[in-house]
Amino acid sequence: MALLSWVMAGVALAEPGPSGLPPMLDLAGAGTDPAKIDYNLLPELSGTCALVTQGDAAWQFRLHNYLAFYDGRYWCMWSHGPRVEDHPTQHVRYATSPDGVKWSEPQEIMPSSSKEGFRYIARGFWVRDGKLLALASHDEAYNEMGKVHFFGNSLQLLAFEWLPDSGTWRPLGVMFDDAINNFPPQKLATGEWAMMRRDHLNNVSMLIGGVESPLKWESRPVFDRTRANAFKPDEPEWWQLPDGRSLGIIRDNGGSKRLFRTLSSDNGRTWSTPELTNFPDATSKFFGLRTSRGSYVLVSNANPAGRYPLCLSVSRDGVTFTRMGRLPVPVAEVPSLQYPHVIEHDGSLLIAYSRGKRGIEVVSVSLDEIDRLERGEIVVLAP
């Protein structure tokens, strides 16, 4: 319980942890103390919002949204279910857009499972060797008490290949048993693909492979949740640092309201013990990437009080984030914004998110605007 007690005592965690890394957060004004952040006074970036899909009476649920740009179009996929959230008959649908603003009518990647009580959960697009793959997990939705749980003993990660001539998705098979990824694979310096994975007990590992076949992977342990005390890892993410090391960032369901991080110096084969950071979090999914201009962006629910606003933070080295802003997303009737995914294309970031787990929206922000945030040039207007 020591890690959690540090947070409750208000320690800013400005000193390097066991990994030797500097603080994850060091903002102009707030410094390394997240308690000093006024989320109402964060600078708001400029951008353009659009609706991808909205829930209806028959299919209320929309979450786990992912983006790709392939064959001259933007693609968006999501979990499509009858109830909020992740109940049986849930499956995965997608839409496409020529400009990221006007989206097609949703189509199925796969229908509801033929197995009674099972569900699919969207897990992202993967462009591999010029082909577009869609990933989805498959498992039983209910535990022995009849309640939704995460995850079932039959958990599998599956792959489907887009066939452009017929406009259909072909099942490729099981990528890995007892696995759910958080984001699709990305390249290591070795040329191998890698993605963070959880098993049905939420133990975290790194899947490495995908070169010989999209279905061939090896698993390397990151953290055994069954040995944890206060820390309850969930929805891990990773990116490569400029020096070639890999940095893993992990959501904590243990009540710390902070992100954890872990470091690998051997291309994901071994990892340091996850350490508590000073980066705040509402206990939600987040996503980070390095832009073509060299800066890192992290889109997350940074406000510990809830899933609003949706924040974008900037780091030059991928370790310490020095600026934080609000995405230009209207509050409307449902302020809960969650589960972002980001891609870069044609000088802009396209960011997908779910509103209230009932609709999928996107917001486009130019890289020039990200640069302005990083330089501190966006004027903050008091409410």
Side-chain angles (χ1 to χ4, degrees):
M1 297 295 289
L3 292 175
L4 187 58
S5 66
W6 292 349
V7 176
M8 298 308 178
V11 177
L13 296 175
E15 297 300 321
S19 69
L21 295 173
M24 187 173 174
L25 183 78
D26 192 356
L27 296 180
T32 59
D33 187 354
K36 294 182 178 179
I37 301 173
D38 188 336
Y39 294 93
N40 293 317
L41 295 181
L42 290 177
E44 183 170 288
L45 294 92
S46 297
T48 303
C49 298
L51 176 68
V52 178
T53 179
Q54 184 62 48
D56 54 32
W59 298 100
Q60 303 175 34
F61 184 61
R62 307 283 196 280
L63 193 62
H64 312 119
N65 36 264
Y66 294 91
L67 295 167
F69 188 84
Y70 177 78
D71 195 23
R73 291 182 289 172
Y74 293 95
W75 299 64
C76 184
M77 68 186 293
W78 61 89
S79 297
H80 197 94
R83 296 166 56 191
V84 178
E85 62 186 278
D86 296 317
H87 288 265
T89 72
Q90 178 176 295
H91 53 285
V92 180
R93 295 193 185 186
Y94 75 102
T96 63
S97 171
D99 56 8
V101 176
K102 185 176 181 180
W103 291 83
S104 67
E105 287 297 314
Q107 302 291 327
E108 290 181 350
I109 292 179
M110 84 289 292
S112 299
S113 177
S114 59
K115 293 186 176 182
E116 185 176 356
F118 276 63
R119 67 191 168 198
Y120 289 101
I121 301 177
R123 295 289 92 192
F125 292 112
W126 179 21
V127 180
R128 178 186 179 275
D129 292 344
K131 297 179 180 180
L132 181 64
L133 306 184
L135 313 184
S137 65
H138 185 238
D139 71 329
E140 51 270 74
Y142 297 147
N143 61 17
E144 62 277 3
M145 304 293 291
K147 295 183 178 180
V148 167
H149 70 145
F150 304 101
F151 296 96
N153 293 334
S154 301
L155 181 65
Q156 291 181 318
L157 182 61
L158 310 175
F160 302 79
E161 179 185 339
W162 171 248
L163 303 178
D165 291 341
S166 61
T168 59
W169 295 91
R170 176 172 69 95
L172 291 183
V174 178
M175 293 181 69
F176 210 81
D177 281 314
D178 196 14
I180 182 168
N181 63 321
N182 204 32
F183 292 103
Q186 54 182 316
K187 279 282 184 73
L188 289 163
T190 60
E192 300 165 296
W193 296 93
M195 55 183 167
M196 288 283 192
R197 160 236 182 180
R198 288 166 288 161
D199 64 17
H200 75 283
L201 298 175
N202 274 303
N203 298 310
V204 180
S205 60
M206 186 79 147
L207 293 180
I208 302 172
V211 177
E212 296 179 33
S213 163
L215 307 182
K216 189 172 182 179
W217 302 84
E218 63 170 316
S219 178
R220 294 300 183 107
V222 177
F223 188 78
D224 184 351
R225 183 168 178 171
T226 60
R227 299 173 59 186
N229 292 319
F231 177 43
K232 292 181 171 56
D234 199 2
E235 296 183 323
E237 155 74 319
W238 75 278
W239 55 76
Q240 199 154 40
L241 299 176
D243 63 8
R245 293 181 297 172
S246 303
L247 187 67
I249 310 296
I250 308 176
R251 164 181 168 176
D252 174 33
N253 286 351
S256 70
K257 298 289 186 176
R258 304 282 182 87
L259 298 178
F260 277 66
R261 67 184 175 189
T262 176
L263 187 67
S264 174
S265 300
D266 56 3
N267 291 296
R269 264 65 184 182
T270 60
W271 295 83
S272 64
T273 300
E275 62 188 26
L276 182 70
T277 76
N278 65 337
F279 200 100
D281 181 57
T283 314
S284 186
K285 189 174 179 177
F286 51 86
F287 183 75
L289 83 167
R290 191 181 191 186
T291 73
S292 60
R293 297 184 182 179
S295 61
Y296 292 79
V297 298
L298 176 64
V299 180
S300 69
N301 295 117
N303 185 357
R307 294 181 174 181
Y308 186 85
L310 198 55
C311 298
L312 185 149
S313 304
V314 183
S315 169
R316 178 50 52 178
D317 61 7
V319 175
T320 301
F321 288 83
T322 57
R323 298 284 181 179
M324 182 184 292
R326 298 159 59 102
L327 290 174
V329 178
V331 178
E333 297 179 357
V334 183
S336 179
L337 311 170
Q338 57 262 309
Y339 281 45
H341 184 236
V342 189
I343 61 170
E344 178 187 336
H345 180 71
D346 198 22
S348 294
L349 299 181
L350 188 65
I351 304 162
Y353 58 91
S354 173
R355 182 184 294 273
K357 302 182 182 180
R358 295 175 183 269
I360 305 299
E361 302 172 14
V362 293
V363 57
S364 177
V365 178
S366 72
L367 293 181
D368 289 341
E369 189 73 354
I370 303 299
D371 290 344
R372 291 182 63 225
L373 175 66
E374 187 174 6
R375 294 192 299 262
E377 296 176 357
I378 301 179
V379 177
V380 180
L381 300 177

